[in-house]
Amino acid sequence: MVITIREEKGDMATLDTEQNNINEEGGGNISTANPAVPANFIQNSINEDLKTNKNDGRVHTRFPPEPNGYLHIGHAKSICLNFGIAAANGGLCNLRFDDTNPSKEEVEYVESIQEDVKWLGFDWDDRMFYASDYFEKLYAYAVELIKAGKAYVCDLSAQEIREYRGTLSQPGKDSPYRNRPVEENQDLFERMRAGEFEDGSRVLRAKIDMASPNLNLRDPVLYRILRATHHRTGDKWCIYPMYDYAHPLSDAIEKITHSICTLEFEDHRPLYDWVLDNVSVECHPQQIEFARLNLTNTVMSKRKLRQLVEEGYVSGWNDPRMPTISGLRRRGYTPEAIRDFCDRIGVAKSNSVVDIALLEHCIREDLNTRAPRVMAVLRPLRLVIANYPENRVEELEAENNPENPAMGSRKIPFSRVLYIEQEDFCENPPKKYFRLAPGQEVRLKHAYIIKCQQVVKDEQTGEVVELHCTYDPETRSGADTSGRKVKGTIHWVSAAHAHTAEVRLYEHLLLDENPDGETDDADFKMKLNPSSLESLTACLVEPSLAGAAPGSRYQFLRQGYFCIDSVDSSPEALVFNRIVPLRDSWAKIQKA
Ligand code: ATP
Ligand code: MG
């Protein structure tokens, strides 16, 4: 199967996903040690390590979220990759909270992240760690660097440090504190920890090379003074390690073998290696970068997602329009569909934007054979069958899913007064309109052929309020003796038996195809889709849906896939989220 992925710049690239991968260097057929493992450049690199018995044949990865927001579909890619690589190679994957920045982190996020990783179907067993667990060790390694003359306390302000750093075209300048004696550095660093200095007044910096072409190596900051209460260590620390220092060491302490991260850290790899090469930690994991997932018509940076939540553009992190795992879950996505999506997009080494239609295609594929097919009328129009006895109710047999006969069938009540979809009637139909029109016939799904005899209108507004029809008793589905054929089949519910429900229809959150391409924060909000949510409150669903559990998923015939909302729905007042409509633009792209 061929999928297309939109390159950020340039034309559509065609990718062969049978290989389940997009290989930058070699293309096509890359042999793997284990044929069950899909080939990609990360697996290839692991295969090399296995061949040379590097790491004694171990494969140990980690998923290292910062608990400063909820996980999104991009994180799902990283989770599937890290846990997937470990599983495929008989290895292990840790969950590690990268909690080195107390001012933005919260327990709520720590909890949601665990829930989301588990829901996706992955298990870290007893290997859940926090970078903050290592604060004492990280401090000791910093002291090692100081003693070796490889780190110094610098009193320049943040602004001055920036100025001294130079630019891509100009080398930096040495800090006047760069050559402080070791003892003085030791003393100052200790006193930084003891809380003797103000926030921001001093930092600990690595002593590497102010003229390095790589800005990350121009004496990067390792520690800063920050009085902020940490969600785990409380007020124990007033100095906190920087990400580029804490991350390689946390990996090494956990004996990670392959530290998989996104492409923007490629330029940080020399610093990752420098830290590990200059302290006494034994393990030296290998950092490998891959392209982060970008999706059309949504934003994926936690910063932007947080703005949407905090400024009330959405109802919360789990708003069904959000690309967060919790939003997708509430919308009705399954973990299987999300994992399938992550498999299909594969891993690449250059940034691209994946069409959100592929994600939608994956949930349709998953639910096609799993979700019961039921009838629901979203915009009801009353229909009376004039020649049907007033008090009669028939129980008609309805298959639950023609794609999956094992799902059996149910009974649905049929009676004289029904509701159909407003858009299934047209007073002056265009050619090839095969639904109801004056004098025209359709089949009611699972029931009879009816003919529209009369249209009742509101005297004041002229609006069509009711249709009078007749039915042909010889045409009952499954027992049709008439031999008649009609071109259209429409869905319906029985007025006396239907349950009212609210149905929420969603469209893409952003109108723009690549809103993350914009760096300007105000800009992306200009592109929010004003009709991303439409709530229909007078919908009618067939009675078999009464009492269905939150999270249950259905196909509403001819409408799409829907899920009972886990937050706002109750047995008395059902609320459904539309997961996706039935029309599948991705399938069309594939055929083209
Ligand atoms: P954001 O930019 O959305 O705030 P982040 O990279 O800061 O994300 P982290 O919590 O640090 O978020 O991410 C945890 C892991 O998930 C990291 O290894 C990161 O590389 C990976 N990750 C984050 N976003 C994506 C994405 N869009 N695609 C693939 N992996 C991602
Ligand atoms: Mg991050």
Side-chain angles (χ1 to χ4, degrees):
M1 181 200 24
V2 169
I3 63 166
T4 48
I5 288 189
R6 298 223 175 104
E7 291 291 324
E8 232 158 38
K9 299 180 194 94
D11 302 332
M12 306 272 270
T14 303
L15 305 163
D16 185 351
T17 51
E18 219 117 71
Q19 303 289 335
N20 232 339
N21 94 95
I22 300 154
N23 192 283
E24 282 290 297
E25 289 92 2
N29 299 310
I30 302 105
S31 66
T32 49
N34 176 355
V37 182
N40 62 49
F41 68 94
I42 297 178
Q43 183 61 47
N44 291 344
S45 153
I46 290 175
N47 289 343
E48 281 307 306
D49 296 342
L50 292 174
K51 235 187 264 167
T52 59
N53 205 34
K54 190 179 166 187
N55 308 308
D56 306 319
R58 284 185 317 117
V59 173
H60 201 149
T61 58
R62 83 289 171 265
F63 172 62
E66 184 181 353
N68 62 349
Y70 281 61
L71 297 182
H72 52 59
I73 181 82
H75 292 112
K77 175 176 179 178
S78 175
I79 293 166
C80 290
L81 185 59
N82 278 294
F83 280 92
I85 286 270
N89 294 281
L92 300 170
C93 180
N94 297 355
L95 173 64
R96 182 200 317 138
F97 291 101
D98 217 327
D99 55 349
T100 53
N101 186 4
S103 48
K104 290 200 216 148
E105 294 160 4
E106 284 174 34
V107 177
E108 178 194 347
Y109 301 138
V110 169
E111 286 167 357
S112 74
I113 288 169
Q114 292 176 54
E115 186 186 353
D116 290 349
V117 175
K118 276 192 205 145
W119 178 79
L120 275 176
F122 299 103
D123 189 355
W124 54 85
D125 297 316
D126 56 352
R127 296 178 315 280
M128 181 173 86
F129 303 112
Y130 294 85
S132 57
D133 292 342
Y134 312 135
F135 279 171
E136 201 66 61
K137 283 185 185 160
L138 300 182
Y139 180 85
Y141 287 129
V143 172
E144 276 184 23
L145 288 174
I146 293 172
K147 284 186 178 161
K150 290 173 179 166
Y152 61 97
V153 173
C154 181
D155 303 355
L156 293 180
S157 68
Q159 175 62 23
E160 287 165 326
I161 288 181
R162 254 193 307 278
E163 283 162 17
Y164 275 66
R165 188 180 297 133
T167 63
L168 280 173
S169 52
Q170 278 186 325
K173 267 193 316 188
D174 284 1
S175 158
Y177 305 98
R178 198 171 199 260
N179 294 316
R180 263 182 169 146
V182 168
E183 294 70 32
E184 190 180 329
N185 283 320
Q186 253 184 292
D187 174 61
L188 286 172
F189 189 49
E190 232 168 77
R191 289 164 58 197
M192 275 169 65
R193 176 181 181 167
E196 285 189 30
F197 311 120
E198 300 221 336
D199 284 13
S201 60
R202 289 192 157 93
V203 292
L204 183 74
R205 296 176 71 175
K207 195 171 183 176
I208 308 179
D209 180 6
M210 288 306 292
S212 171
N214 184 336
L215 293 172
N216 295 303
L217 294 181
R218 294 186 188 172
D219 291 9
V221 173
L222 305 180
Y223 268 90
R224 62 200 169 131
I225 306 174
L226 178 69
R227 284 168 180 79
T229 302
H230 187 280
H231 70 107
R232 285 179 60 83
T233 56
D235 295 319
K236 180 166 181 219
W237 293 86
C238 65
I239 55 171
Y240 288 96
M242 303 303 288
Y243 177 86
D244 278 339
Y245 173 73
H247 193 73
L249 288 170
S250 303
D251 282 345
I253 290 166
E254 292 175 19
K255 299 200 163 54
I256 297 303
T257 57
H258 300 85
S259 176
I260 302 169
C261 66
T262 40
L263 223 50
E264 67 272 22
F265 289 102
E266 197 165 18
D267 288 347
H268 297 237
R269 192 185 338 132
L271 177 53
Y272 184 100
D273 290 331
W274 183 92
V275 170
L276 297 180
D277 286 340
N278 286 284
V279 299
S280 63
V281 74
E282 271 166 32
C283 178
H284 191 136
Q286 182 192 349
Q287 176 177 308
I288 306 176
E289 307 87 12
F290 71 101
R292 62 197 295 125
L293 168 66
N294 300 298
L295 263 190
T296 59
N297 300 98
T298 190
V299 284
M300 206 102 83
S301 107
K302 274 186 274 185
R303 194 168 37 85
K304 289 178 184 165
L305 294 175
R306 188 176 315 108
Q307 279 182 54
L308 294 179
V309 173
E310 287 174 358
E311 295 168 24
Y313 291 98
V314 293
S315 64
W317 286 96
N318 67 348
D319 186 298
R321 291 167 290 177
M322 293 279 271
T324 51
I325 308 284
S326 53
L328 292 167
R329 175 168 62 233
R330 182 171 166 196
R331 175 87 164 251
Y333 272 82
T334 60
E336 290 83 357
I338 295 178
R339 293 200 305 261
D340 178 35
F341 171 74
C342 292
D343 273 356
R344 287 175 190 238
I345 57 176
V347 284
K349 264 174 108 169
S350 61
N351 281 318
S352 63
V353 184
V354 175
D355 196 322
I356 198 163
L358 176 58
L359 179 62
E360 295 167 350
H361 176 71
C362 291
I363 187 66
R364 285 191 195 94
E365 286 241 311
D366 186 28
L367 294 183
N368 179 41
T369 52
R370 287 217 272 170
R373 298 184 186 186
V374 297
M375 296 203 281
V377 174
L378 304 190
R379 297 174 180 89
L381 172 61
R382 200 174 140 95
L383 184 153
V384 177
I385 301 179
N387 63 338
Y388 196 86
E390 201 133 341
N391 294 320
R392 180 136 138 222
V393 178
E394 266 178 281
E395 294 286 327
L396 301 176
E397 190 82 9
E399 64 196 338
N400 289 329
N401 190 330
E403 300 284 326
N404 184 355
M407 288 174 71
S409 63
R410 68 191 182 289
K411 299 274 193 219
I412 43 172
F414 183 82
S415 64
R416 186 169 193 265
V417 182
L418 311 174
Y419 281 97
I420 63 163
E421 211 67 63
Q422 283 168 20
E423 63 175 28
D424 283 338
F425 171 77
C426 182
E427 201 175 7
N428 301 301
K431 263 195 183 161
K432 298 203 175 164
Y433 185 86
F434 297 128
R435 293 173 262 171
L436 261 192
Q440 206 161 296
E441 291 187 328
V442 287
R443 173 173 290 286
L444 295 175
K445 181 72 182 171
H446 302 307
Y448 297 95
I449 293 177
I450 57 165
K451 182 170 188 172
C452 179
Q453 307 286 7
Q454 197 190 337
V455 181
V456 182
K457 293 185 184 175
D458 182 304
E459 278 176 15
Q460 241 103 83
T461 63
E463 187 194 350
V464 176
V465 288
E466 191 170 292
L467 302 176
H468 289 182
C469 299
T470 49
Y471 88 117
D472 178 350
E474 304 302 308
T475 57
R476 200 175 79 208
S477 288
D480 190 335
T481 54
S482 73
R484 293 171 53 198
K485 292 259 179 296
V486 288
K487 285 217 166 112
T489 301
I490 64 173
H491 60 274
W492 54 275
V493 292
S494 164
H497 305 89
H499 289 257
T500 53
E502 177 183 342
V503 173
R504 296 175 182 167
L505 304 179
Y506 301 102
E507 282 178 21
H508 297 147
L509 192 52
L510 273 292
L511 291 168
D512 197 17
E513 286 217 329
N514 186 15
D516 264 333
E518 311 279 351
T519 43
D520 190 338
D521 277 13
D523 239 43
F524 91 89
K525 282 183 277 184
M526 306 279 293
K527 297 191 173 133
L528 282 169
N529 180 357
S531 40
S532 59
L533 166 62
E534 182 186 2
S535 170
L536 305 174
T537 52
C539 307
L540 294 168
V541 300
E542 65 167 71
S544 73
L545 296 186
S552 305
R553 303 176 185 91
Y554 300 92
Q555 184 190 112
F556 288 177
L557 283 179
R558 302 174 64 227
Q559 307 274 13
Y561 291 99
F562 292 78
C563 178
I564 299 187
D565 190 70
S566 53
V567 178
D568 294 332
S569 193
S570 69
E572 301 74 42
L574 288 171
V575 178
F576 289 86
N577 295 314
R578 182 171 70 190
I579 312 170
V580 279
L582 287 180
R583 97 188 102 76
D584 190 341
S585 53
W586 191 260
K588 274 191 208 134
I589 294 173
Q590 282 178 291
K591 275 198 203 128

